[in-house]
Amino acid sequence: MTAGLVAGAGTPAQAANPLVQRFAADPSILVANGRMYIYATDDQSNSGTYWDSNAWRLFSSTNLTSWTDHGAPLSVSTFRWATQYAWAPSAVLRNGTYYFYGPVDRTKIGVARSSSPTGGFSDARGNPLIERGRDANTGDEPIDPMAFVDDNGQAYLYFGGARAPRVVRLNSDMISTSGSIQTISITGGGGQFAEAGHMHKRNGTYYYSYSTGWPGQIAYATSSNPLGPFTYRGVILDSVNINTNHHSIAQYNGRWYIAYQRNLRSGGGNYKRSLAMEYLNYNSDGTIQRVAQTSTGVGGSTPTTPVNRLQSYNLTDRYVRHVDHDVRIDASVSPAQDAQWRLVPGLSNAANGYVSFESVNFPGYYLRHADYDFSLAQNDGSSTFNADATFRRVAGLADSAAVSFQSVNFTDRYIRHSNYVLRLDPVSTATDRADATFRITS
Ligand code: FUB
């Protein structure tokens, strides 16, 4: 195959992650009125040095591709007894009323209600539903509430941070608790609970999922009882590229989804997080398949960009491949996908002739240079990443029928191999030019 294939690369996948062009985190999905709503912590309005936003943001969609920003229907000031920190919320619909559970001050959980999902919420009690110091067994950090209504009408509030998973029954009014706060038991080894507890039910099994640390994976455990004990089953989602992991799982129009948070936008980071979403798939035995963190998410079309390999011009049995995130040229690559790339429009310059190399088996991961060395790295959305991962396609330096790739931010340097390792180097000798020339093959 010739270099012409690059120009002929198909329509780029419509990137669906991040879901919205606003910093937001801690998604809580509510499906109602034929829509998917996501209540979230509003990272856009925090200081950037802590999770100190005072607002909760709401987004909704019917197609999971285009999202409506409903603004901030609730804030810390919804609860006059609260002072700061609008953290990971939860919302649920029961008997026509929307109930919203919001952790504040790192020590309390308030409950508000409304007849509409998008506004009109008011404090349902005038005091906290859960409060450290007032209530027994809250743990040090009663945060991250998750309200769950079982098929028989019994409701539960899962909550807890700082490695203290908790659950308490809710009365049918949804604004008061019944019985004592219980510690959730997770047996069977595996990831320890850190925060972000979440409950969903499928085929009679209760799935309790949670973050395991800072950073942490989203692990899960199952039980036949919503109060547990739960048996550890495995990991749903690997650590993300920030130090908190927080998710929400729901079924919508017959498919299961997981919403979560990553650093996906320029200027993002630990306190400026972005919302993402993937399909959640089950095995026939009810276990959950590990979720890949993609750029296409659930709203994007299946990538139509052709899959290509980059064959070395002078060592023709070798192809550019990633291995343990390093990038080199190798023969007999296994698995074959490690040497397969989508040549997509350049991340920092999408004009014709500029390309980025996206991994086929790690979507969202690109060939990028740092200190002139190449690695397979996850796109963090930063302008530095985008430039480091973008190249101008030029006629092959050793053979104009082949192709070379010039860095966009170090224009005197080209992708080349040296001792089988991929580097970004200046090119002067005939050997350099051959090492910096490739053929694009299928
Ligand atoms: O947004 C503040 C905190 O970060 C949440 O409560 C945790 O779950 C973590 O995502």
Side-chain angles (χ1 to χ4, degrees):
M1 202 172 290
T2 70
L5 260 187
V6 178
T11 311
Q14 171 67 46
N17 288 329
L19 299 184
V20 292
Q21 294 302 321
R22 182 181 179 91
F23 293 120
D26 303 330
S28 171
I29 298 175
L30 168 65
V31 174
N33 316 315
R35 299 185 78 83
M36 181 186 283
Y37 294 89
I38 295 183
Y39 294 83
T41 300
D42 185 37
D43 279 9
Q44 188 78 30
S45 58
N46 72 25
S47 63
T49 58
Y50 193 62
W51 304 288
D52 51 11
S53 168
N54 284 332
W56 288 288
R57 202 86 185 172
L58 175 63
F59 308 93
S60 80
S61 177
T62 53
N63 58 14
L64 313 189
T65 301
S66 53
W67 290 83
T68 302
D69 183 344
H70 296 279
L74 296 108
S75 70
V76 166
S77 62
T78 303
F79 305 107
R80 58 173 174 67
W81 42 265
T83 55
Q84 58 186 353
Y85 304 158
W87 281 11
S90 171
V92 70
L93 171 64
R94 183 165 198 182
N95 296 334
T97 299
Y98 296 84
Y99 296 90
F100 175 93
Y101 302 82
V104 288
D105 299 337
R106 293 184 77 155
T107 53
K108 308 174 193 81
I109 296 171
V111 54
R113 63 185 162 194
S114 173
S115 57
S116 160
T118 58
F121 284 94
S122 60
D123 186 354
R125 294 170 52 98
N127 63 12
L129 174 64
I130 303 288
E131 182 174 11
R132 189 181 76 188
R134 184 196 69 187
D135 304 325
N137 197 33
T138 60
D140 280 348
E141 202 178 46
I143 60 167
D144 294 356
M146 198 278 165
F148 168 75
V149 185
D150 206 349
D151 302 329
N152 63 5
Q154 177 63 57
Y156 302 86
L157 189 75
Y158 297 83
F159 65 95
R163 301 209 178 279
R166 300 290 190 260
V167 60
V168 65
R169 285 188 180 87
L170 289 171
N171 289 316
S172 57
D173 63 9
M174 300 297 282
I175 65 167
S176 59
T177 61
S178 162
S180 56
I181 294 172
Q182 301 181 33
T183 299
I184 295 173
S185 162
I186 304 168
T187 59
Q192 206 190 343
F193 174 93
E195 60 182 11
H198 183 280
M199 170 57 61
H200 75 280
K201 185 180 184 182
R202 179 179 177 270
N203 293 343
T205 295
Y206 297 89
Y207 291 79
Y208 183 61
S209 46
Y210 52 90
S211 169
T212 60
W214 305 272
Q217 299 169 310
I218 299 298
Y220 77 106
T222 60
S223 177
S224 57
N225 186 325
L227 297 171
F230 292 89
T231 304
Y232 177 78
R233 296 293 178 197
V235 170
I236 300 175
L237 188 72
D238 268 324
S239 298
V240 290
N241 56 353
I242 47 175
N243 65 5
T244 55
N245 208 341
H246 195 111
H247 69 300
S248 182
I249 292 170
Q251 196 174 22
Y252 179 70
N253 288 346
R255 282 205 76 161
W256 286 91
Y257 297 89
I258 181 169
Y260 64 109
Q261 61 198 25
R262 272 159 58 191
N263 178 9
L264 283 168
R265 298 182 58 229
S266 180
N270 285 332
Y271 303 106
K272 295 289 186 185
R273 301 163 290 185
S274 292
L275 297 175
M277 186 177 285
E278 314 288 353
Y279 295 109
L280 187 82
N281 294 310
Y282 295 84
N283 297 307
S284 53
D285 63 359
T287 54
I288 297 176
Q289 294 176 9
R290 197 178 281 226
V291 171
Q293 299 168 28
T294 73
S295 55
T296 47
V298 299
S301 53
T302 306
T304 54
T305 315
V307 168
N308 291 124
R309 293 187 297 165
L310 288 176
Q311 181 187 30
S312 165
Y313 177 74
N314 49 358
L315 301 173
T316 54
D317 61 333
R318 290 177 181 260
Y319 294 81
V320 173
R321 61 87 56 92
H322 62 82
V323 52
D324 295 333
H325 295 283
D326 195 13
V327 184
R328 40 182 298 120
I329 56 166
D330 267 345
S332 306
V333 177
S334 177
Q337 291 93 334
D338 285 358
Q340 294 176 337
W341 306 91
R342 294 190 195 281
L343 275 59
V344 299
L347 294 175
S348 75
N349 183 347
N352 201 14
Y354 290 85
V355 294
S356 292
F357 302 88
E358 185 178 20
S359 164
V360 162
N361 48 357
F362 289 88
Y365 283 70
Y366 293 82
L367 203 56
R368 76 84 59 99
H369 62 81
D371 295 331
Y372 310 129
D373 188 25
F374 275 94
S375 65
L376 182 73
Q378 188 173 23
N379 185 1
D380 63 12
S382 67
S383 53
T384 302
F385 184 100
N386 289 342
D388 288 349
T390 301
F391 305 88
R392 189 165 79 91
R393 183 175 59 85
V394 299
L397 297 176
D399 179 343
S400 61
V403 62
S404 291
F405 299 99
Q406 179 187 27
S407 166
V408 294
N409 47 356
F410 294 89
T411 52
D412 60 330
R413 292 172 182 259
Y414 294 79
I415 300 177
R416 63 90 54 91
H417 62 82
S418 175
N419 293 324
Y420 309 125
V421 168
L422 222 61
R423 291 187 47 78
L424 190 73
D425 275 347
V427 173
S428 52
T429 68
T431 302
D432 293 343
R433 285 193 287 276
D435 288 350
T437 301
F438 300 88
R439 291 188 193 281
I440 299 168
T441 71
S442 56

